[in-house]
Amino acid sequence: MTDSSLQDVYDITIIGAGPTGLYAAFYASGMRGMKTKIIEALDKVGGQLTILYPDKYIYDVAGFPKILAKDLVRQLEYQALSHNPTVVLGEYVKEIEFLKDKIIMLKTDKNVHYTKTALICTGRGALKPRKLNNPSVERFEGRGVYYQVTDKWQFRDKQVMIVGGGDSAVDWALELKDIASQVILVHRREGFRAHERSVAELFNSPIKVMIPYEVKEAYGSDKLESVKIFNNKTGEEELFKIDSLILQLGYEVDSSIFRRWGLEMIDNFIKVNGRMETNLPGVYAAGDIAYPIDSVKLNLIVVGFAQAAIAVNMAKNYIDPSSSIFPGHSSEKRVI
Ligand SMILES: Cc1cc2nc3c(=O)[nH]c(=O)nc-3n(C[C@H](O)[C@H](O)[C@H](O)COP(=O)(O)OP(=O)(O)OC[C@H]3O[C@@H](n4cnc5c(N)ncnc54)[C@H](O)[C@@H]3O)c2cc1C
């Protein structure tokens, strides 16, 4: 490690920006004054709440008798960012290495990060967009084939085909119908799993709905130019001139990396003790990914919050053994 990168050594690096990671980021930077970084594989924060159920109400988070998942994420993000932790989006943490002087190096698919402690809050594992497993389609990834919409304006005046039958497919079709020159929604079943109101709006819109159709082949030279779909009942095929194919097929989870790191696991979860310590020095885990021995495993948001607080207080004490594990009260600190 060079001298200049030594300046980039963080006190704590949180892996995963679901509810547990976001709360840990607030706790570390706001409550414990730690130099904090949070790394998230996706281009947005919130974990399962953002990806799997943004419009579902949650009724069991303390202080919120009823709150939409996306609104809870907004509040958590506001709280997490209040003490300016470094936020890295779109980087998937793949490897860990232990350097001298208790420095931990985390390698992502794009960068290298240095830290004194690491807190793993990766939930069920990395949420990876599900693919079609069709090489003719995958050939155009980033050149007309997309799994996430990061900027809806990139589809202005384009011929867009969206594939999927859930909320995200229908919502994006509705969102893009006034931006793109044409939107075609392709779904392999006759019924949609999306919200009833959105489905009604879909059928009253100019969006061309192709059911029960599936993608057969994508064509183009440098970039995507056309897509052939087929009716999975009749076999009938149709070819459309398409600039952008947006696949909204849900997410797969991958938690396989941690075994390679030498972490002790219980099934697919990281074994931790009551202090949220893993078997690796300076490495903690909290939230859905953590399996506390001598306790119960509850995959709940509030459990992740409490575990995040414990892990951060332990990490603080690990870096500076003279510091108290008890953080004091937030009212004394006036944290926001
Ligand atoms: C449909 C549904 C409804 C639910 N309803 C409730 C409810 O009402 N109340 C309740 O308490 N709980 C509920 N839960 C459970 C709750 O969502 C989880 O307990 C919670 O999301 C766990 O938070 P987390 O931060 O630990 O993990 P996640 O929310 O899974 O977030 C983990 C984050 O880490 C990222 N990540 C993973 N691997 C990497 C990596 N290697 N590098 C970088 N980033 C990575 C992921 O992309 C993700 O953003 C529900 C779950 C589902 C599926």
Side-chain angles (χ1 to χ4, degrees), residues 105-140:
M105 181 170 81
L106 295 170
K107 277 193 194 164
T108 70
D109 48 355
K110 298 186 182 131
N111 271 310
V112 172
H113 303 266
Y114 298 100
T115 187
K116 295 176 187 166
T117 62
L119 172 52
I120 304 172
C121 300
T122 52
R124 299 201 205 167
L127 295 158
K128 290 188 180 165
R130 194 168 281 134
K131 301 194 173 185
L132 271 180
N133 283 331
N134 180 327
S136 77
V137 170
E138 276 145 40
R139 187 160 87 86
F140 295 110

Side-chain angles (χ1 to χ4, degrees), residues 283-331:
V283 180
Y284 302 79
D288 278 14
I289 189 68
Y291 199 117
I293 43 164
D294 300 332
S295 179
V296 283
K297 172 150 182 57
L298 293 176
N299 290 342
L300 290 173
I301 296 162
V302 290
V303 172
F305 291 164
Q307 293 178 340
I310 294 170
V312 169
N313 285 322
M314 294 314 304
K316 173 78 183 177
N317 183 258
Y318 170 85
I319 298 171
D320 173 11
S322 68
S323 69
S324 166
I325 293 172
F326 182 64
H329 294 136
S330 63
S331 49

Side-chain angles (χ1 to χ4, degrees), residues 16 19-20 40-41 47-48 53 56 60 92-93 122-124 126 288 301:
T20 308
E40 165 57 50
Q48 295 173 46
Y53 59 102
K56 193 182 94 72
D60 56 352
Y92 173 64
V93 178
T122 52
R124 299 201 205 167
D288 278 14
I301 296 162

Side-chain angles (χ1 to χ4, degrees), residues 74-300:
R74 208 169 294 134
Q75 295 287 345
L76 283 165
E77 189 178 7
Y78 174 73
Q79 190 182 33
L81 299 186
S82 59
H83 288 76
N84 304 314
T86 300
V87 181
V88 178
L89 295 179
E91 285 193 32
Y92 173 64
V93 178
K94 291 164 75 164
E95 285 169 44
I96 193 167
E97 258 179 58
F98 293 85
L99 310 179
K100 63 179 170 67
D101 300 327
K102 291 186 169 177
I103 303 292
I104 296 169
M105 181 170 81
L106 295 170
K107 277 193 194 164
T108 70
D109 48 355
K110 298 186 182 131
N111 271 310
V112 172
H113 303 266
Y114 298 100
T115 187
K116 295 176 187 166
T117 62
L119 172 52
I120 304 172
C121 300
T122 52
R124 299 201 205 167
L127 295 158
K128 290 188 180 165
R130 194 168 281 134
K131 301 194 173 185
L132 271 180
N133 283 331
N134 180 327
S136 77
V137 170
E138 276 145 40
R139 187 160 87 86
F140 295 110
E141 282 175 2
R143 296 181 296 132
V145 171
Y146 308 94
Y147 298 95
Q148 295 182 53
V149 177
T150 45
D151 173 14
K152 65 182 179 183
W153 297 108
Q154 82 182 94
F155 302 106
R156 192 202 295 261
D157 299 330
K158 301 275 194 233
Q159 289 282 122
V160 175
M161 180 179 278
I162 299 175
V163 181
D167 278 308
S168 52
V170 174
D171 288 353
W172 276 122
L174 293 170
E175 186 77 27
L176 294 178
K177 72 180 186 329
D178 302 323
I179 295 174
S181 60
Q182 191 189 12
V183 176
I184 302 169
L185 180 59
V186 175
H187 180 37
R188 65 192 166 132
R189 298 209 176 88
E190 267 154 9
F192 283 91
R193 295 185 318 280
H195 198 285
E196 280 168 23
R197 204 167 350 123
S198 314
V199 176
E201 195 184 337
L202 172 72
F203 283 106
N204 282 317
S205 76
I207 297 164
K208 192 174 177 68
V209 180
M210 301 297 292
I211 47 176
Y213 273 82
E214 294 181 41
V215 171
K216 181 157 192 190
E217 194 126 22
Y219 306 95
S221 47
D222 291 348
K223 59 181 184 55
L224 180 71
E225 287 166 15
S226 59
V227 177
K228 187 185 277 174
I229 59 173
F230 70 100
N231 183 312
N232 61 25
K233 283 202 172 139
T234 64
E236 190 184 337
E237 295 182 348
E238 290 207 39
L239 183 70
F240 290 95
K241 193 179 162 311
I242 294 294
D243 302 301
S244 308
L245 178 65
I246 305 174
L247 301 169
Q248 296 289 293
L249 307 170
Y251 286 79
E252 286 168 359
V253 287
D254 176 12
S255 63
S256 59
I257 53 168
F258 299 122
R259 257 176 233 285
R260 292 202 309 269
W261 289 15
L263 283 162
E264 282 178 22
M265 308 288 290
I266 298 177
D267 298 329
N268 284 325
F269 305 103
I270 299 170
K271 183 170 146 187
V272 290
N273 59 21
R275 298 160 173 246
M276 312 318 292
E277 292 162 337
T278 69
N279 61 308
L280 299 179
V283 180
Y284 302 79
D288 278 14
I289 189 68
Y291 199 117
I293 43 164
D294 300 332
S295 179
V296 283
K297 172 150 182 57
L298 293 176
N299 290 342
L300 290 173

